[in-house]
Amino acid sequence: FMASSAFKMKIRVSERFRSEGNTFRTEIRTDFSYLSRYFNVNVRLDAVRCSGTGILGYAEGGYKTERFSSYVRGGIFLVDDWDDRIYVYERDAPGSFNVPAFYGRGYWIAFYAKMSLMKSMKLYIRAGLTEYPFMKQFKPGKAELKLQMTLDF
């Protein structure tokens, strides 16, 4: 659904069937997006039903020009069973593929930036923090910082 060229809403419903174990897995995902010349905002709500119910939601804001782009994403997840885990693609540097499986009860925040320092030199920065304060048993969090510079010859 497009309210205008700047506002969009997407709904995706998927069903997985397996012949053994938890045979059915249903996922409903809704994205609300706003895109202008330099700024964009995306809000996602995702629910999975398999062994139990997993819920994830996030909001992301970004700024993009020809030489610089940056994005901040923050979200919360309540996924009590591994079979209900929810995968979310995360922005990352070229050559890195980052699709974490969110499981447990917690939140995360991530920052990504790309800077063109010269025509042939780019710098990528990614920082992320995942915490689990809503767990019944202690689970340690995770923090990461990634820097990558590329040179084109």
Side-chain angles (χ1 to χ4, degrees), residues 33 44 47 58 63 83-84 89 114 122 126 134 138 142:
S33 302
R44 175 174 290 176
Y58 73 74
Y63 174 79
D83 289 333
D84 301 321
Y89 173 79
K114 172 189 165 188
K122 294 180 180 73
R126 183 182 190 290
F134 315 123
F138 174 76
K142 178 179 98 170

Side-chain angles (χ1 to χ4, degrees), residues 22 30 43 55 57 63 71 81 84 88-89 98 104 113 139 152-153:
N22 291 322
T30 304
V43 175
I55 298 170
Y63 174 79
Y71 298 87
D81 195 289
D84 301 321
V88 177
Y89 173 79
N98 192 351
K139 183 175 179 180
D152 295 328
F153 296 100

Side-chain angles (χ1 to χ4, degrees), residues 14-66:
S14 62
E15 182 72 33
R16 181 198 73 195
F17 174 75
R18 288 188 176 164
S19 59
E20 61 182 58
N22 291 322
T23 53
F24 292 99
R25 178 183 159 101
T26 307
E27 182 173 9
I28 299 171
R29 186 171 87 189
T30 304
D31 287 292
F32 302 94
S33 302
Y34 168 76
L35 177 64
S36 72
R37 183 173 178 189
Y38 297 113
F39 296 98
N40 64 59
V41 176
N42 188 49
V43 175
R44 175 174 290 176
L45 303 171
D46 200 335
V48 169
R49 179 81 177 137
C50 188
S51 294
T53 301
I55 298 170
L56 178 141
Y58 73 74
E60 177 182 65
Y63 174 79
K64 183 176 181 177
T65 64
E66 193 172 307

Side-chain angles (χ1 to χ4, degrees), residues 71-91:
Y71 298 87
V72 175
R73 178 184 290 184
I76 189 166
F77 53 95
L78 302 168
V79 182
D80 289 329
D81 195 289
W82 176 249
D83 289 333
D84 301 321
R85 67 194 176 273
I86 299 175
Y87 295 95
V88 177
Y89 173 79
E90 292 280 330
R91 297 177 190 277

Side-chain angles (χ1 to χ4, degrees), residues 103-153:
Y103 164 68
R105 292 174 169 245
Y107 64 88
W108 87 100
I109 187 163
F111 170 77
Y112 166 87
K114 172 189 165 188
M115 292 164 265
S116 296
L117 304 174
M118 292 184 258
K119 189 173 183 176
S120 63
M121 184 187 299
K122 294 180 180 73
L123 176 66
Y124 299 87
I125 300 170
R126 183 182 190 290
L129 173 69
T130 304
E131 291 286 339
Y132 301 92
F134 315 123
M135 297 287 290
K136 294 173 184 149
Q137 293 183 340
F138 174 76
K139 183 175 179 180
K142 178 179 98 170
E144 70 173 341
L145 176 64
K146 187 185 294 185
L147 300 171
Q148 178 176 322
M149 183 175 287
T150 60
L151 299 169
D152 295 328
F153 296 100

Side-chain angles (χ1 to χ4, degrees), residues 2-22:
M2 291 179 61
S4 69
S5 61
F7 292 99
K8 298 178 185 178
M9 183 178 91
K10 297 178 190 175
I11 298 175
R12 183 180 90 170
V13 178
S14 62
E15 182 72 33
R16 181 198 73 195
F17 174 75
R18 288 188 176 164
S19 59
E20 61 182 58
N22 291 322

